Amino acid sequence: MTTPSYIFLAGASRGVGREIAQCLTSQQFKVKALLRTDATRHELETMGIAVVLGDAMNVEDVERAMLGDEPIDAVITTIGGLAKDSTRADYIGNKNLIDVAVKAKVKKFILVTSIGSGNSVVALSPQILEALQPVLIDKEKAEQHLIGSGLNYTIIRPGGLQSESATGNGVLTEDPRIAGMIHRADVAQLVCRCLNSDAANNKILSAVDANMLFGQPQFEKFNVD
């Protein structure tokens, strides 16, 4: 009998990562989550998620979590920090996850970053870019490390995040000029759809709510199905 494989999730304690955890478990995926602290452990375990304590900034912790007996099919990471933080996981933490995922021979790696990273810098105003610059630089470094890793990847760059319930209006686009808002629950739904989408392989996609765009730009939606 083969051991069932897992989706490995980093960032499940809050925000988009928590919404992804709920989306995955609702679809009966087996999920293993890396948590820095015990704070949300009980909640995640109640959802049926296998929890491993460890810090993504420590590569040994990541290896212990990801290179165990249970095979990892895919990795999803939403980890990051704020511009004011002295230490952020946006690059180093995600780099560790990418490097260990290569060792684990995972089939897919989904990295959630932000509009404003990489070539989507053109989507944001100079004022917003100045405020977010340290974070966006780290996010772009993580994106480039993933692209160069040889892994099958999808990079998803959400717009401004809100915490309300999903609207169902979340869309993806390869157009780096698009900016807008999106609910975290809608980002999670898009991530889960990309997980099983060959069309999303090796793509960089911006995620916005079709009804919450900045301006009224015309753009081509990306179909993940």
Side-chain angles (χ1 to χ4, degrees):
M1 191 170 108
T2 58
T3 304
S5 55
Y6 281 77
I7 309 299
F8 189 90
L9 178 59
S13 62
R14 59 185 176 84
V16 173
R18 171 59 70 87
E19 296 287 348
I20 292 171
Q22 293 174 338
C23 183
L24 291 173
T25 54
S26 72
Q27 296 181 28
Q28 308 303 311
F29 283 104
K30 291 181 68 67
V31 181
K32 179 184 285 189
L34 179 68
L35 295 182
R36 278 190 302 171
T37 71
D38 266 328
T40 58
R41 180 172 192 157
H42 177 71
E43 297 168 41
L44 293 174
E45 288 181 339
T46 299
M47 294 163 61
I49 293 173
V51 171
V52 180
L53 290 180
D55 190 341
M57 300 290 279
N58 184 329
V59 70
E60 288 82 8
D61 284 0
V62 179
E63 288 177 339
R64 177 174 49 81
M66 204 184 294
L67 300 177
D69 294 333
E70 306 92 358
I72 303 297
D73 233 14
V75 175
I76 301 171
T77 172
T78 66
I79 61 172
L82 303 173
K84 65 181 180 181
D85 295 342
S86 58
T87 304
R88 293 181 302 273
D90 298 84
Y91 174 55
I92 298 299
N94 283 318
K95 178 183 182 297
N96 289 338
L97 291 163
I98 293 162
D99 291 344
V100 179
V102 171
K103 293 182 181 180
K105 296 181 170 59
V106 305
K107 296 175 184 175
K108 193 161 196 171
F109 195 109
I110 298 180
L111 173 64
V112 180
T113 59
S114 174
I115 287 178
S117 180
N119 64 348
S120 66
V121 65
V122 298
L124 300 184
S125 70
Q127 294 87 351
I128 295 175
L129 286 173
E130 184 177 359
L132 297 179
Q133 186 178 35
V135 171
L136 294 176
I137 289 171
D138 282 354
K139 289 184 184 300
E140 182 177 2
K141 287 169 66 178
E143 290 181 357
Q144 291 302 316
H145 191 71
L146 177 56
I147 292 167
S149 71
L151 290 167
N152 176 24
Y153 68 86
T154 304
I155 294 168
I156 298 178
R157 297 168 172 166
L161 295 167
Q162 297 183 338
S163 295
E164 290 84 352
S165 300
T167 67
N169 297 318
V171 295
L172 296 168
T173 180
E174 292 185 86
D175 190 333
R177 301 169 299 169
I178 301 306
M181 306 297 291
I182 186 168
H183 293 183
R184 289 176 172 86
D186 286 302
V187 177
Q189 290 182 5
L190 293 172
V191 167
C192 290
R193 287 170 64 191
C194 285
L195 188 61
N196 287 324
S197 170
D198 289 339
N201 290 348
N202 303 317
K203 295 290 187 180
I204 302 176
L205 303 166
S206 294
V208 290
D209 189 298
N211 295 333
M212 293 192 286
L213 300 174
F214 296 159
Q216 297 297 323
Q218 296 294 316
F219 68 96
E220 186 175 346
K221 297 177 183 177
F222 182 85
N223 184 11
V224 297
D225 299 319

